[in-house]
Amino acid sequence: MPMSFTAAVAGCTGYAGGEALRLLLDHPEIEIGALTAGSSAGSRLGDSHPNLWPLADRTVAETTPQNLAGHDVIFLALPHGASGELAEQLPPDALVIDCGADHRLTDASRWERFYHSPYAGAWPYGLPELPGQREKLTGAHRIAAPGCWVATVTLALAPALVHGLVDGHDVTAVGGSGTSGAGRAATQHLLGSETAGGMSAYGVGGVHRHIPEMLQNFEALGARQPSISFTPMLAPMPRGILAVVTAPVDASVSAGQIREAYLDSYRGEPFVHVLPEGVWPASKSVLGSNAVSVNATLDPQAGRLVAVCTLDNLTKGTAGSAIQSMNLALGLPETTGLPLIGVAP
């Protein structure tokens, strides 16, 4: 049976591009076309991703509009600030999915404050679990995949916002992410000898670039003037994210109400699993899958809702959400080509 659509991946030698290719190789409706990159153009794909053996002998081309044109779907797995100008030169009838941050924010001032570069405009946001978002993605020709931390924190808090249990003010979020979330650049703080056996905080004090995207999602979920204190940590693992998110609740809110809100919000969601009472998400349970594990309860002494959420930063946090959104845009079943089961141990 012939493939229905062709797909190109720009930035194919990075972690996000490699994850997109891993998933696309198992997609029954996609034929993989051009593989492009910047400084690694001319190399074999297998030099960067030996796990992708069906594509290992393919030569990586230079990322140009000409090499990407002629495909039904184009994934841009490029550094922040690199997608905007390139996207303007791509065919308007192609489905272009930006796995970077360039087209996520709807507020130019927020972009300029956190990214310090020209604003490229907003595209439909590729987190289908947000209320009303599937309709915006269906038939779209431009999609902005979410940030990995943003997807985790948003999915942790969304049911509480939708059901009015919290108002989005005084939210705190802390957690750990795998080193792949920092990209593939050879920097000292990501060396194995630096990360093994310990954790370290980064982006402390309200400077992390995912903060404006989190606030934007909270606003879309009904929050008025939301605020968040976000402290991410680098965990000694290659992939995965686990976030603990808390927010104040009214004294009348019970743990039972919180649980019902989460069960109601995620009932029927193919990738989000609310765990049984007293069972808390563990990052290993979702590795390699597009699944999300979440649970929430009440801390009565602090008067705060506590939600814990985990996902794989490269799959559901980036490439998986991109392909999930692609399926919706192309009119395919949303779960096509996406793994539901994690890898263990």
Side-chain angles (χ1 to χ4, degrees):
M1 181 177 177
M3 304 293 185
S4 300
F5 304 97
T6 58
V9 177
C12 66
T13 57
Y15 289 136
E19 185 74 353
L21 289 172
R22 180 180 77 88
L23 299 173
L24 290 172
L25 280 167
D26 277 337
H27 199 294
E29 300 292 341
I30 295 294
E31 179 182 357
I32 297 173
L35 308 178
T36 77
S39 60
S40 53
S43 67
R44 292 172 61 256
L45 183 70
D47 295 338
S48 300
H49 298 300
N51 61 309
L52 303 178
W53 59 266
L55 304 172
D57 290 330
R58 293 273 298 272
T59 299
V60 177
E62 183 183 358
T63 296
T64 65
Q66 294 75 24
N67 285 335
L68 296 173
H71 296 82
D72 299 303
V73 186
I74 301 168
F75 292 89
L76 303 179
L78 303 174
H80 301 327
S83 298
E85 182 178 352
L86 176 62
E88 291 181 353
Q89 303 174 66
L90 296 176
D93 58 342
L95 170 57
V96 182
I97 303 177
D98 187 3
C99 294
D102 291 28
H103 300 94
R104 295 172 185 162
L105 297 181
T106 59
D107 187 322
S109 64
R110 281 179 171 171
W111 171 268
E112 291 162 1
R113 176 186 169 194
F114 280 83
Y115 289 91
H116 312 293
S117 62
Y119 178 60
W123 291 355
Y125 191 65
L127 191 60
E129 290 80 8
L130 294 180
Q133 204 62 28
R134 286 183 171 88
E135 292 76 10
K136 296 177 183 178
L137 294 170
T138 302
H141 287 286
R142 297 290 188 270
I143 293 172
C148 53
W149 269 117
V150 183
T152 314
V153 172
T154 299
L155 293 173
L157 198 62
L161 285 166
V162 168
H163 286 77
L165 300 179
V166 301
D167 62 8
H169 181 68
D170 190 24
V171 176
T172 67
V174 297
S177 70
T179 54
S180 60
R184 202 165 193 172
T187 55
Q188 180 176 328
H189 75 285
L190 296 178
L191 293 173
S193 56
E194 301 287 338
T195 60
M199 296 183 68
S200 60
Y202 65 98
V204 179
V207 300
H208 195 283
R209 288 176 169 179
H210 282 179
I211 288 175
E213 192 182 339
M214 293 176 187
L215 296 176
Q216 177 175 284
N217 286 351
F218 294 171
E219 290 165 351
L221 291 164
R224 304 174 73 176
Q225 298 184 321
S227 63
I228 185 169
S229 174
F230 172 51
T231 306
M233 291 179 284
L234 196 64
M237 58 188 188
R239 58 198 292 165
I241 281 182
L242 187 143
V244 180
V245 182
T246 78
V249 295
D250 187 82
S252 63
V253 173
S254 68
Q257 286 177 281
I258 292 172
R259 179 155 186 83
E260 285 304 313
Y262 279 73
L263 291 172
D264 178 67
S265 290
Y266 290 134
R267 187 174 290 114
E269 285 293 343
F271 296 111
V272 183
H273 309 293
V274 180
L275 300 181
E277 286 188 76
V279 178
W280 297 101
S283 62
K284 272 197 170 185
S285 67
V286 297
L287 292 187
S289 78
N290 204 52
V292 179
S293 290
V294 65
N295 213 342
T297 191
L298 174 69
D299 180 342
Q301 285 73 37
R304 297 180 74 90
L305 172 142
V306 180
V308 182
C309 183
T310 190
L311 52 79
D312 187 317
N313 61 295
L314 292 177
T315 316
K316 180 57 178 169
T318 309
S321 281
I323 291 172
Q324 186 181 347
S325 299
M326 176 198 76
N327 287 338
L328 289 166
L330 297 178
L332 300 173
E334 188 174 336
T335 59
T336 305
L338 290 170
L340 284 162
I341 308 302
V343 177

